[in-house]
């Protein structure tokens, strides 16, 4: 007891332990497994693996594989047979008794011009009789653009300025050929797109096709001259005003048209003379709204995917 007390007091006083130097300290030798033991363990592991995952000898697995192949063939045969039987019951093409030849399509063709004021039956159908469906499609474009802006829009001002400065880092900054061609074609494309939009009620075209042409013109202009020059007449503020205003105007015009039509009230919107530019009732303003939506959507997708902003 006294010996341990002396050792403890020496340790507290910082003196060396008299027994520490006399003890032999050897590092522990790392355990090495014998090669025969390793081989035996690997052999047992392989036996267990072969017994559990026996692909060639497992009867249950072989049966399931054969059952899967047979059922796949049976399902394909039944599905193809069902399609053939269904097609055989379809009415012949061009028959007067076809389901599509009903009073709805008959009314579109016979009374469409009188009721809508549009020479283009397709525009009269989708923008008056089925204007609610087209309004839903326009909302899809608006929501799609909002989703892409949430995912790709750059909010950091410094990073946005850097993106503007490095806008054409991977392209020639002054491609003379592209700029000369765009200088000639862009005005023609814009005018042609506006023509398609404004003549949608009297000729093939309308807001969707005309807006696509205008959007293509904007993309060509940006590709040739850059976003900095395009932002002089079409920036983020103008984009938001045009897109939101077009959607709201479409909604207001459509709501007024739906409410009056559903209640048998005269809407007091003149149809005009069929074939004239100011004709078609609500078709012309709705075509303008749809054209703005489509053009803004195309340009927004291009700008956001290219540099994360306008």
């Amino acid at each position: 007891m006294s010996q341990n007390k002396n050792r403890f007091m020496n340790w507290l006083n910082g003196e060396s332990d008299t027994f520490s130097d006399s003890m032999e300290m050897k590092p522990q030798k790392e355990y090495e497994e014998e090669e025969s033991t390793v081989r035996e363990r690997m052999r047992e592991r392989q036996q267990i693996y072969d017994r559990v995952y026996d692909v060639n000898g497992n009867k249950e697995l072989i049966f399931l594989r054969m059952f899967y192949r047979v059922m796949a063939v049976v399902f394909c045969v039944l599905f193809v047979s069902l399609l053939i039987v269904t097609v055989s019951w379809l009415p012949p093409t061009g028959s007067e008794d076809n389901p599509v030849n009903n009073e709805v399509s008959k009314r579109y063709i016979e009374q469409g011009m009188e009721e809508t004021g549009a020479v283009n039956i397709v525009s009269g159908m989708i923008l008056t009789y089925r204007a609610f469906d087209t309004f839903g499609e326009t909302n899809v474009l608006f929501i799609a653009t909002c989703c892409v802006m949430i995912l790709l829009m750059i909010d950091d001002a410094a990073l946005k300025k850097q993106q503007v400065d490095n806008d054409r880092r991977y392209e020639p900054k002054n491609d003379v050929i592209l700029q000369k061609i765009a200088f000639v074609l862009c005005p023609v494309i814009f005018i042609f797109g506006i023509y398609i939009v404004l003549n949608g009620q009297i000729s093939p075209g309308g807001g969707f096709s005309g807006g696509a042409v205008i959007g293509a013109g904007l993309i060509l202009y940006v590709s040739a001259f850059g976003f900095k020059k395009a932002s002089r007449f079409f920036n983020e503020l103008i984009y938001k005003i045009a897109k939101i205003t077009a959607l709201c105007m479409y909604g207001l015009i459509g709501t007024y048209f739906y409410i009056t039509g559903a209640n048998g009230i005269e809407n007091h919107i003149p149809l005009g003379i069929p074939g004239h530019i100011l004709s078609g009732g609500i078709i012309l303003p709705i075509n303008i709204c749809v054209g703005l939506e489509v053009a803004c959507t195309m340009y927004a997708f291009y700008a956001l995917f290219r540099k994360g902003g306008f």
Side-chain angles (χ1 to χ4, degrees), residues 203-308:
S203 64
F208 287 100
S209 52
V213 173
I214 296 174
L218 289 172
I219 294 174
L220 175 61
Y221 186 89
V222 170
S223 300
F225 301 104
F227 284 93
K228 189 174 182 179
K229 201 167 185 178
S231 62
R232 298 177 182 176
F233 64 91
F234 195 84
N235 53 25
E236 185 177 350
L237 178 62
I238 296 176
Y239 162 80
K240 292 180 179 179
I241 293 174
K243 195 168 184 65
I244 296 174
T245 302
L247 189 64
C248 292
M249 288 298 298
Y250 190 164
L252 292 174
I253 296 171
T255 302
Y256 173 75
F257 188 75
Y258 307 148
I259 293 175
T260 56
N263 294 278
I265 304 173
E266 186 178 357
N267 55 37
H268 301 290
I269 299 177
L271 298 179
I273 302 174
H276 288 202
I277 187 68
L278 296 178
S279 62
I282 66 171
I283 297 178
L284 180 59
I286 287 181
N287 264 332
I288 295 174
C289 295
V290 173
L292 287 174
E293 282 288 332
V294 175
C296 291
T297 301
M298 288 186 60
Y299 180 79
F301 282 173
Y302 176 80
L304 290 170
F305 276 100
R306 176 163 170 174
K307 71 182 189 70

Side-chain angles (χ1 to χ4, degrees), residues 67 125 133 188 200 204 211 227 264 275 301 307:
F67 179 77
M125 177 184 66
D133 297 343
V188 178
F227 284 93
F301 282 173
K307 71 182 189 70

Side-chain angles (χ1 to χ4, degrees), residues 83-258:
L83 291 178
I84 294 174
V85 172
T86 304
V87 171
S88 66
W89 281 93
L90 291 176
T93 304
S95 176
E96 296 180 358
D97 299 331
N98 286 355
V100 295
N101 296 328
N102 52 30
E103 63 276 6
V104 178
S105 58
K106 183 178 180 181
R107 186 180 185 107
Y108 289 162
I109 297 172
E110 294 181 355
Q111 302 183 28
M113 184 182 299
E114 179 183 352
E115 294 178 348
T116 65
V119 177
N120 186 352
I121 298 177
V122 176
S123 293
M125 177 184 66
I126 65 174
L127 296 179
T128 54
Y129 298 113
R130 301 183 59 184
F132 187 77
D133 297 343
T134 308
F135 182 63
E137 297 171 6
T138 308
N139 276 278
V140 169
L141 294 176
F142 180 80
I143 295 172
T145 309
C146 293
C147 294
V148 175
M149 290 181 68
I150 292 172
L151 294 173
L152 300 180
M153 194 73 174
I154 297 177
D155 295 328
D156 189 4
L159 184 58
K160 184 180 291 188
K161 184 179 183 302
Q162 181 181 358
Q163 289 289 342
V164 172
D165 296 337
N166 298 332
D167 167 34
R168 312 183 69 189
R169 179 172 51 186
Y170 302 109
E171 299 179 5
K173 292 187 176 181
N174 295 304
D175 192 332
V176 179
I177 298 176
L178 180 60
Q179 289 181 350
K180 293 298 182 182
I181 294 175
F183 181 79
V184 176
L185 289 183
C186 282
V188 178
I189 293 174
F190 292 146
I191 293 174
F192 184 62
I194 295 171
Y195 165 81
I196 295 175
V197 172
L198 297 181
N199 287 268
Q201 72 277 10
I202 60 178
S203 64
F208 287 100
S209 52
V213 173
I214 296 174
L218 289 172
I219 294 174
L220 175 61
Y221 186 89
V222 170
S223 300
F225 301 104
F227 284 93
K228 189 174 182 179
K229 201 167 185 178
S231 62
R232 298 177 182 176
F233 64 91
F234 195 84
N235 53 25
E236 185 177 350
L237 178 62
I238 296 176
Y239 162 80
K240 292 180 179 179
I241 293 174
K243 195 168 184 65
I244 296 174
T245 302
L247 189 64
C248 292
M249 288 298 298
Y250 190 164
L252 292 174
I253 296 171
T255 302
Y256 173 75
F257 188 75
Y258 307 148

